[in-house]
């Protein structure tokens, strides 16, 4: 058994729903004691040598997220083990059967052929099974849709979703039906040759019409379910760059387009908060506070109505483009805003017209 397996890295994926159901409790998934006489060595090197099926990079990723503990305390990957140290892997969910079963769940398929399909995920749907969300996920729905395709095994990591988005983010995702397609698409995402854009409603008005946000993204040391931004030249977190462009201004909030150079967990949400423009109604990043506007009771009531109309971070994966892995054709897709987001934008447009 691996020290840490792919499904145990869900907290470090783009699925923000994982880990939000247990009130912060941690569960032990692995334990080992360092042998007597062991020389001092980095913990990532030690574990990769003693757990040959777990790569050093995967172990480093787990340590950076605070999952690896020594004698009850989280440590970084450069911690040097000593004889007698007790190493544990602590996750925020208990062990569970990770077998993905097909479930008859509505699935909006935008495009499909023998190699891949593009789906439009609704807000509120978890991408992959995790703590508190073992069923009803997007991969369960995909497994049902492809249940008659003998060559597609939903439990085979060589096929399936190529990338992910948060539970409460809506929009486009690509699914590989074959190992060859997943390899090709995976390389395109890694080499940043895909084209993806998001639409987001954020608090505040921008001085400029477009801009660039750069800052490493890593786990917030004060809240392990939230990401924080660190200086680009620091050793904390991973490099991340977000480009944004103003689409519409509503005075107290702004509709922006975001294009990612990197695909870090919660990247847009963390970067926008970092520059003082949290996503509207993004509870985890402070967007459910009334951050801009008037002090009147009528304005406060208006904002609360907005929150009820679209009760999640207003973020939509609007466009997706890539090279088809078999034909070499450029494939480009665009998805309309979901009803809750469209209704909210319309409400703000009317608000601006009334103010004028």
């Amino acid at each position: 058994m691996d020290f840490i397996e792919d499904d145990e890295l869900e907290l470090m994926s783009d699925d923000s729903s994982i880990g939000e159901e247990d009130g912060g409790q941690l569960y032990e998934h692995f334990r080992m004691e360092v042998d007597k006489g062991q020389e001092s060595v980095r913990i990532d090197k030690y574990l990769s040598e003693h757990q040959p099926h777990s790569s050093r990079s995967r172990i480093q990723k787990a340590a950076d997220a605070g999952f690896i503990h020594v004698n009850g305390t989280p440590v970084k990957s450069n911690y040097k083990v000593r004889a007698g140290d007790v190493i544990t892997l602590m996750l925020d969910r208990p062990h569970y059967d990770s077998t993905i079963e097909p479930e008859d769940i509505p699935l909006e398929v935008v495009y499909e052929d023998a190699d891949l399909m593009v789906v439009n995920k609704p807000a509120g749907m978890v991408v992959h099974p995790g703590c508190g969300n073992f069923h009803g996920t997007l991969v369960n729905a995909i497994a049902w849709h492809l249940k008659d395709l003998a060559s597609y095994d939903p439990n085979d990591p060589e096929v399936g979703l190529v990338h992910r988005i948060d539970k409460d983010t809506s929009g486009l995702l690509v699914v590989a039906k074959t190992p060859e397609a997943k390899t090709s698409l995976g390389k395109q995402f890694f080499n940043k040759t895909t084209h993806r854009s998001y639409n987001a409603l954020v608090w505040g008005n921008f001085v400029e019409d477009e801009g660039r946000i750069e800052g490493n993204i890593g786990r917030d040391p004060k809240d392990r379910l939230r990401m924080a931004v660190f200086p680009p030249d620091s050793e904390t977190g991973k490099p991340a760059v977000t480009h944004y462009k103003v689409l519409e201004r509503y005075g107290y909030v702004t509709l922006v387009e975001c294009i990612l150079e990197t695909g870090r967990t919660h990247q847009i949400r963390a970067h926008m908060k970092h520059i003082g423009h949290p996503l509207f109604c993004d509870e985890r990043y402070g967007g459910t506070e009334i951050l801009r506007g008037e002090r009147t009771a009528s304005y406060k009531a208006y904002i609360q109505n907005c929150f009820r109309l679209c009760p999640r971070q207003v973020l939509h994966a609007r466009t997706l483009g890539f090279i088809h892995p078999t034909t070499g054709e450029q494939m480009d897709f665009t998805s309309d805003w979901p009803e809750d987001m469209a209704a909210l934008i319309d409400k703000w447009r009317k608000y601006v017209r009334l103010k004028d």
Side-chain angles (χ1 to χ4, degrees), residues 14-306:
D14 288 336
D15 195 337
S16 64
S17 67
I18 296 169
E20 297 181 10
E21 304 294 333
D22 62 359
Q25 181 178 355
L26 295 178
Y27 301 86
E28 183 179 305
H29 281 231
F30 176 91
R31 171 182 289 260
M32 69 179 300
E33 183 173 346
V34 178
D35 296 334
K36 294 179 179 179
Q38 171 65 46
E39 296 181 358
S40 180
V41 63
R42 284 175 57 114
I43 194 168
D44 55 348
K45 184 175 187 294
Y46 177 82
L47 286 173
S48 63
E49 291 175 348
H50 287 74
Q51 301 293 321
H53 298 295
S54 294
S55 69
R56 189 167 180 176
S57 63
R58 187 184 298 176
I59 292 167
Q60 290 172 343
K61 193 174 183 181
D64 290 343
F67 292 165
I68 297 179
H69 292 210
V70 174
N71 305 324
T73 302
V75 298
K76 296 299 184 182
S77 55
N78 62 356
Y79 172 86
K80 293 189 176 181
V81 301
R82 295 182 291 270
D85 276 350
V86 176
I87 302 172
T88 54
L89 174 66
M90 304 298 295
L91 300 181
D92 64 346
R93 56 178 172 79
H95 286 286
Y96 69 96
D97 183 356
S98 60
T99 302
I100 297 168
E101 299 291 345
E103 296 180 22
D104 188 3
I105 301 168
L107 183 67
E108 182 182 349
V109 179
V110 176
Y111 172 84
E112 183 173 10
D113 62 26
D115 300 292
L116 59 88
M117 66 180 186
V118 175
V119 299
N120 192 25
K121 186 188 85 68
M125 175 180 276
V126 176
V127 169
H128 196 280
C131 184
N133 299 286
F134 300 129
H135 303 285
T137 73
L138 181 62
V139 294
N140 294 116
I142 293 169
W144 178 273
H145 182 81
L146 299 176
K147 66 182 186 303
D148 296 326
L149 184 63
S151 60
Y152 185 84
D153 179 359
N155 295 287
D156 183 355
E158 293 188 349
V159 296
L161 281 168
V162 182
H163 58 123
R164 303 181 186 188
I165 55 179
D166 295 346
K167 170 189 173 184
D168 288 326
T169 299
S170 54
L172 297 171
L173 291 162
V174 62
V175 181
K177 290 185 177 182
T178 69
E180 294 78 16
K182 190 163 187 181
T183 297
S184 172
L185 291 166
K187 287 181 178 178
Q188 292 182 54
F189 275 89
F190 180 80
N191 293 326
K192 305 179 181 64
T193 59
T194 58
H195 304 285
R196 288 186 290 166
S197 72
Y198 294 74
N199 285 177
L201 186 70
V202 304
W203 277 105
N205 198 3
F206 290 81
V207 174
E208 61 284 343
D209 290 330
E210 56 186 49
R212 180 179 186 272
I213 311 168
E214 181 176 5
N216 289 9
I217 291 181
R219 289 283 157 189
D220 188 331
K222 297 179 181 178
D223 182 351
R224 62 192 175 80
L225 296 177
R226 185 172 64 189
M227 307 305 287
V229 179
F230 303 90
D233 56 354
S234 72
E235 295 183 358
T236 305
K238 293 187 176 182
V241 176
T242 302
H243 299 269
Y244 67 88
K245 178 181 179 181
V246 171
L247 299 178
E248 295 182 29
R249 299 175 185 271
Y250 310 119
Y252 304 133
V253 297
T254 305
L255 180 66
V256 296
E257 176 187 64
C258 296
I259 297 176
L260 308 183
E261 280 191 23
T262 51
R264 308 304 182 199
T265 303
H266 298 185
Q267 178 169 324
I268 294 173
R269 300 166 69 188
H271 267 172
M272 282 297 168
K273 177 178 174 59
H274 179 65
I275 64 170
H277 296 282
L279 268 62
F280 191 80
C281 208
D282 188 348
E283 182 176 9
R284 186 158 301 285
Y285 290 87
T288 52
E289 300 293 327
I290 301 178
L291 300 177
R292 302 286 192 283
E294 304 167 10
R295 296 179 179 272
T296 63
S298 60
Y299 178 75
K300 292 178 181 178
Y302 168 78
I303 295 298
Q304 293 303 323
N305 287 334
C306 287

